[in-house]
Amino acid sequence: MTTTMNIIAAIIFGLALLHTFSAKSLETLAHRHPKHEGLFHLLGEVEVVFGFWAFILIGFMALVAGGGEAINYVESRHYTEPLFVFVVMVVAASRPVLEIVKQLVLTIARLLPVHTMVAQAWLGLALVPLLGSFITEPAAMTLAALILAPLVFRQGMPEWLKYAALGVLFVNVSIGGTLTSYAAPPVLMVAATWQWDTMHMASHFGWKAAIAVLINASVVTYLLRMHLANTVSSPANDADNMPEVPRTVSLIHLAFLAGVVIFAHHPVIFFGIFMMFLGFTQAYSRYQNQLILKEGLLVGFFLAGLVVLGGMQQWWLQPIVSSLQPTALFFGSVALTAVTDNAALTYLGSLIVGISDESKYMLVAGAVAGGGLTVIANAPNPAGASLLRRGFEDESIGAGGLLLGALPPTCIAVLMFLI
């Protein structure tokens, strides 16, 4: 692409970031100006932002470089991750899978020497994010959000505590996927190139991440404890007037989820599995809740837009990454992750020839530590935001509130990774 197009792409990327940070203000404008309420609601949807600006980028590219060049660029991008996040969100949030996880969480919660509601919230913020190392981070985010929504992200809970819990959830999911080499997108981008296997991840990253996850979850649960203890009943126990899910149906749903996770990097296969899943849910609709197709599609649209916009930021990102010394690289990657997807950041690092082992560690550690600072910092974050935003004022998550909520758990993660 031409230098002119690179500059235009950087400007549009910057405008998309500003749009993301002002999404909550647009929702407020929707209430103040009912005549244009629909437009403000549309532009206030965080999941719409990057897809919207991606179309603007392609329009400019067609004008500057020609329509053929614009089409070639769009078709040259890799959309496996957006497709996977969409599919795994829908499958993981299906009633049979969700009920299994809820029952597991409830069973463990009853064994802990604290109030059951408090224990459930702690497990949703600690155990489920760590499960992301095995079922992938997007699936863990989806399950954790659906478990925590009626417990924490509800009316009566102070807004600042919701942001504190959201920050912990986003950070814990980002670092909780580092026990293995395939579950966290920023790790996946470098694992094959740098020959990092699961043993390497567990010994260099995993144990530190697990300690940080437990500390973060414990601190915020302690702050939530009074409000959780006053909750009347557990969502996991509430009767939903639907027939009990047969064990066979639950096992088949788990098999679908396992198939999607195993073939996460082969879109033709996991999308074929998804088509079979949709057919199965129709055949046994009496055991299903409504699938979160809309939410999944919006998140996929967001991530696809990020792929298109982020693909033209390499010209300024890579020189920054390659010029920093290891410690500076660590803190630089924490900061850069806040304004660009951490998987894109580590991918750029994997292209640097002769990068030292210390710099490799610092780059990935910083990228996952900063993965909760903004909605765009980590691929699963839009999924969590989509499922939880209705629990916030104006049904919108403020970028400032999320940043403040994520800073303390991010600092804990930073300290652990610097050990």
Coordinates of all heavy atoms in Angstrom, one line a residue, residues 8-55:
I8 N -3.7 7.4 6.1 CA -5.1 7.4 6.2 C -5.6 6.3 7.1 O -6.5 6.5 8.0 CB -5.8 7.3 4.8 CG1 -5.5 8.5 4.0 CG2 -7.3 7.0 4.9 CD1 -5.9 8.4 2.5
A9 N -5.0 5.1 7.0 CA -5.4 3.9 7.8 C -5.2 4.2 9.3 O -6.0 3.8 10.1 CB -4.7 2.7 7.3
A10 N -4.0 4.8 9.6 CA -3.7 5.2 11.0 C -4.7 6.2 11.5 O -5.1 6.1 12.7 CB -2.3 5.7 11.1
I11 N -5.1 7.2 10.7 CA -6.0 8.2 11.2 C -7.4 7.5 11.4 O -8.0 7.8 12.5 CB -6.2 9.3 10.1 CG1 -4.9 10.1 10.1 CG2 -7.3 10.2 10.5 CD1 -4.8 11.1 8.9
I12 N -7.8 6.7 10.5 CA -9.1 6.0 10.7 C -9.1 5.1 11.9 O -10.1 5.0 12.7 CB -9.5 5.2 9.4 CG1 -9.8 6.2 8.3 CG2 -10.7 4.3 9.7 CD1 -10.1 5.5 7.0
F13 N -8.0 4.4 12.1 CA -7.8 3.5 13.3 C -7.9 4.4 14.6 O -8.6 4.0 15.6 CB -6.4 2.8 13.3 CG -6.2 1.8 14.4 CD1 -6.9 0.6 14.4 CD2 -5.4 2.1 15.4 CE1 -6.7 -0.3 15.4 CE2 -5.2 1.2 16.5 CZ -5.8 0.0 16.5
G14 N -7.3 5.6 14.6 CA -7.4 6.5 15.7 C -8.8 6.9 16.0 O -9.3 7.0 17.1
L15 N -9.5 7.2 14.9 CA -10.9 7.6 15.0 C -11.8 6.5 15.6 O -12.7 6.7 16.4 CB -11.5 8.1 13.7 CG -10.9 9.4 13.1 CD1 -11.4 9.7 11.7 CD2 -11.3 10.6 14.0
A16 N -11.5 5.3 15.1 CA -12.2 4.1 15.7 C -12.0 4.0 17.2 O -12.9 3.6 17.9 CB -11.8 2.9 14.9
L17 N -10.8 4.2 17.6 CA -10.5 4.1 19.1 C -11.2 5.2 19.8 O -11.8 4.9 20.9 CB -9.0 4.3 19.3 CG -8.0 3.2 18.9 CD1 -6.6 3.6 19.1 CD2 -8.4 1.9 19.6
L18 N -11.3 6.4 19.3 CA -12.0 7.5 19.9 C -13.5 7.1 20.0 O -14.2 7.4 21.0 CB -11.8 8.8 19.2 CG -10.4 9.4 19.3 CD1 -10.3 10.7 18.4 CD2 -10.1 9.8 20.7
H19 N -14.0 6.6 18.9 CA -15.4 6.1 18.8 C -15.7 5.1 19.9 O -16.7 5.1 20.6 CB -15.7 5.6 17.4 CG -17.2 5.3 17.2 ND1 -17.7 5.0 16.0 CD2 -18.2 5.1 18.1 CE1 -19.0 4.7 16.1 NE2 -19.3 4.8 17.3
T20 N -14.8 4.1 20.1 CA -14.9 3.1 21.1 C -15.0 3.7 22.5 O -15.9 3.4 23.3 CB -13.7 2.1 21.1 OG1 -13.6 1.5 19.8 CG2 -13.9 1.0 22.1
F21 N -14.1 4.7 22.8 CA -14.1 5.3 24.1 C -15.3 6.2 24.3 O -15.6 6.5 25.5 CB -12.8 6.1 24.3 CG -11.6 5.3 24.2 CD1 -10.4 5.8 23.7 CD2 -11.6 4.0 24.7 CE1 -9.3 5.0 23.6 CE2 -10.5 3.2 24.7 CZ -9.3 3.7 24.1
S22 N -16.0 6.7 23.3 CA -17.2 7.6 23.4 C -18.5 6.8 23.2 O -19.5 7.5 23.2 CB -17.1 8.7 22.4 OG -17.1 8.2 21.1
A23 N -18.4 5.5 23.2 CA -19.7 4.7 22.9 C -20.7 5.0 24.0 O -21.9 5.1 23.7 CB -19.4 3.2 22.8
K24 N -20.3 5.1 25.3 CA -21.3 5.3 26.3 C -22.0 6.7 26.2 O -23.2 6.8 26.5 CB -20.6 5.2 27.7 CG -21.6 5.1 28.9 CD -20.9 4.8 30.2 CE -21.9 4.7 31.3 NZ -22.8 3.5 31.2
S25 N -21.2 7.7 25.7 CA -21.8 9.0 25.5 C -22.8 9.0 24.4 O -23.8 9.7 24.5 CB -20.6 10.0 25.2 OG -19.7 10.1 26.2
L26 N -22.6 8.2 23.4 CA -23.6 8.1 22.3 C -24.9 7.5 22.8 O -26.0 7.9 22.4 CB -23.0 7.3 21.2 CG -21.9 8.0 20.4 CD1 -21.2 7.0 19.5 CD2 -22.4 9.2 19.6
E27 N -24.8 6.5 23.8 CA -26.0 5.9 24.3 C -26.8 7.0 25.1 O -28.0 7.0 25.1 CB -25.6 4.7 25.2 CG -25.2 3.5 24.5 CD -26.3 2.8 23.7 OE1 -27.5 3.1 24.0 OE2 -26.0 2.0 22.9
T28 N -26.0 7.9 25.8 CA -26.7 9.0 26.6 C -27.4 9.9 25.6 O -28.5 10.3 25.9 CB -25.6 9.7 27.4 OG1 -25.0 8.8 28.3 CG2 -26.3 10.8 28.2
L29 N -26.8 10.2 24.5 CA -27.4 11.1 23.5 C -28.7 10.4 22.9 O -29.6 11.1 22.5 CB -26.4 11.3 22.3 CG -25.2 12.3 22.7 CD1 -24.3 12.3 21.5 CD2 -25.7 13.7 23.0
A30 N -28.7 9.1 22.8 CA -29.9 8.4 22.3 C -31.1 8.7 23.2 O -32.2 8.9 22.7 CB -29.6 6.9 22.3
H31 N -30.9 8.8 24.5 CA -32.0 9.1 25.4 C -32.4 10.6 25.3 O -33.5 10.9 25.6 CB -31.6 8.8 26.9 CG -31.3 7.3 27.1 ND1 -32.3 6.4 26.9 CD2 -30.2 6.6 27.4 CE1 -31.8 5.2 27.1 NE2 -30.5 5.3 27.5
R32 N -31.4 11.5 25.0 CA -31.7 12.9 25.0 C -32.3 13.3 23.7 O -33.0 14.4 23.6 CB -30.4 13.7 25.2 CG -29.8 13.5 26.6 CD -28.5 14.3 26.7 NE -27.9 14.2 28.1 CZ -26.8 14.7 28.4 NH1 -26.1 15.4 27.5 NH2 -26.3 14.5 29.7
H33 N -32.1 12.6 22.6 CA -32.6 13.0 21.3 C -33.4 11.8 20.7 O -32.9 11.0 19.9 CB -31.5 13.3 20.4 CG -30.6 14.5 20.9 ND1 -31.0 15.8 20.9 CD2 -29.4 14.4 21.6 CE1 -30.1 16.5 21.4 NE2 -29.1 15.8 21.8
P34 N -34.6 11.6 21.2 CA -35.5 10.4 20.7 C -35.7 10.4 19.2 O -35.8 9.3 18.7 CB -36.8 10.7 21.4 CG -36.5 11.6 22.6 CD -35.4 12.4 22.1
K35 N -35.6 11.5 18.5 CA -35.9 11.6 17.1 C -34.8 10.8 16.4 O -35.1 10.1 15.3 CB -35.9 13.0 16.6 CG -36.2 13.1 15.1 CD -36.3 14.6 14.7 CE -36.7 14.7 13.2 NZ -36.8 16.2 12.8
H36 N -33.6 10.8 16.9 CA -32.4 10.1 16.2 C -31.9 8.9 17.1 O -30.8 8.6 17.1 CB -31.3 11.0 15.9 CG -31.7 12.2 15.0 ND1 -32.0 12.0 13.7 CD2 -31.9 13.5 15.3 CE1 -32.4 13.2 13.2 NE2 -32.3 14.1 14.1
E37 N -32.8 8.4 18.0 CA -32.5 7.4 18.9 C -31.8 6.2 18.3 O -30.8 5.6 18.7 CB -33.7 7.0 19.7 CG -33.4 5.9 20.8 CD -34.7 5.6 21.5 OE1 -35.8 6.0 21.1 OE2 -34.6 4.8 22.5
G38 N -32.4 5.8 17.2 CA -31.9 4.5 16.5 C -30.5 4.7 16.0 O -29.7 3.8 16.2
L39 N -30.2 5.8 15.4 CA -28.8 6.1 14.9 C -27.8 6.1 16.1 O -26.7 5.5 16.0 CB -28.7 7.4 14.2 CG -27.3 7.8 13.7 CD1 -26.8 6.8 12.7 CD2 -27.4 9.2 13.0
F40 N -28.1 6.8 17.2 CA -27.2 6.9 18.3 C -27.0 5.5 19.0 O -26.0 5.2 19.4 CB -27.7 7.9 19.3 CG -27.5 9.3 18.9 CD1 -28.6 10.2 18.8 CD2 -26.2 9.8 18.6 CE1 -28.4 11.5 18.4 CE2 -26.0 11.1 18.2 CZ -27.1 12.0 18.1
H41 N -28.1 4.7 19.1 CA -28.0 3.4 19.6 C -27.1 2.5 18.8 O -26.3 1.8 19.3 CB -29.4 2.7 19.7 CG -30.1 3.0 21.0 ND1 -29.5 2.9 22.2 CD2 -31.4 3.5 21.2 CE1 -30.4 3.3 23.2 NE2 -31.5 3.6 22.6
L42 N -27.2 2.6 17.4 CA -26.4 1.9 16.5 C -24.9 2.2 16.7 O -24.1 1.3 16.9 CB -26.8 2.1 15.1 CG -26.0 1.4 14.0 CD1 -26.1 -0.1 14.1 CD2 -26.4 1.8 12.6
L43 N -24.6 3.5 16.7 CA -23.2 4.0 16.8 C -22.7 3.8 18.2 O -21.5 3.8 18.4 CB -23.1 5.5 16.4 CG -23.4 5.7 14.9 CD1 -23.4 7.2 14.6 CD2 -22.5 5.0 14.0
G44 N -23.6 3.6 19.2 CA -23.2 3.4 20.6 C -22.9 2.0 20.9 O -22.4 1.7 22.0
E45 N -23.2 1.1 20.0 CA -22.9 -0.3 20.2 C -21.4 -0.5 20.0 O -20.9 -0.4 18.8 CB -23.7 -1.2 19.1 CG -25.2 -1.2 19.3 CD -25.6 -2.3 20.2 OE1 -24.8 -3.0 20.8 OE2 -26.8 -2.5 20.3
V46 N -20.7 -0.9 21.0 CA -19.2 -1.1 20.9 C -18.9 -2.1 19.9 O -17.9 -2.0 19.1 CB -18.6 -1.5 22.3 CG1 -17.2 -1.9 22.2 CG2 -18.8 -0.4 23.3
E47 N -19.7 -3.2 19.7 CA -19.5 -4.2 18.8 C -19.6 -3.8 17.3 O -19.1 -4.5 16.4 CB -20.4 -5.4 19.0 CG -20.3 -6.1 20.4 CD -21.2 -5.4 21.4 OE1 -21.7 -4.3 21.1 OE2 -21.3 -5.9 22.5
V48 N -20.2 -2.6 17.1 CA -20.4 -2.1 15.7 C -19.2 -1.3 15.3 O -18.9 -1.2 14.1 CB -21.7 -1.3 15.6 CG1 -21.8 -0.6 14.3 CG2 -22.9 -2.3 15.8
V49 N -18.5 -0.7 16.3 CA -17.5 0.4 16.0 C -16.5 0.0 14.9 O -16.4 0.6 13.9 CB -16.8 0.8 17.3 CG1 -15.7 1.8 17.0 CG2 -17.8 1.4 18.2
F50 N -15.7 -1.1 15.2 CA -14.6 -1.4 14.2 C -15.1 -1.9 12.9 O -14.5 -1.7 11.9 CB -13.7 -2.4 14.9 CG -12.7 -1.7 15.8 CD1 -13.0 -1.4 17.1 CD2 -11.4 -1.4 15.3 CE1 -12.1 -0.7 17.9 CE2 -10.5 -0.8 16.2 CZ -10.8 -0.4 17.5
G51 N -16.2 -2.6 12.9 CA -16.8 -3.0 11.6 C -17.2 -1.8 10.8 O -17.0 -1.7 9.6
F52 N -17.8 -0.8 11.4 CA -18.2 0.5 10.8 C -17.1 1.2 10.2 O -17.1 1.6 9.0 CB -18.9 1.3 11.9 CG -19.2 2.7 11.4 CD1 -20.3 3.0 10.6 CD2 -18.5 3.8 11.9 CE1 -20.6 4.3 10.2 CE2 -18.7 5.1 11.4 CZ -19.8 5.3 10.6
W53 N -16.0 1.4 11.0 CA -14.8 2.1 10.5 C -14.0 1.3 9.5 O -13.3 1.8 8.6 CB -13.9 2.5 11.6 CG -14.6 3.7 12.4 CD1 -15.3 3.6 13.6 CD2 -14.5 5.1 12.0 NE1 -15.7 4.9 13.9 CE2 -15.3 5.8 13.0 CE3 -14.0 5.8 10.9 CZ2 -15.5 7.1 12.9 CZ3 -14.2 7.1 10.9 CH2 -14.9 7.8 11.9
A54 N -14.1 -0.1 9.5 CA -13.5 -0.9 8.5 C -14.1 -0.6 7.1 O -13.3 -0.5 6.1 CB -13.6 -2.4 8.9
F55 N -15.4 -0.4 7.1 CA -16.0 -0.1 5.8 C -15.6 1.3 5.3 O -15.4 1.5 4.1 CB -17.6 -0.1 6.0 CG -18.2 -1.5 5.8 CD1 -18.6 -2.2 6.9 CD2 -18.3 -2.0 4.5 CE1 -19.2 -3.4 6.7 CE2 -18.9 -3.3 4.4 CZ -19.3 -4.0 5.5

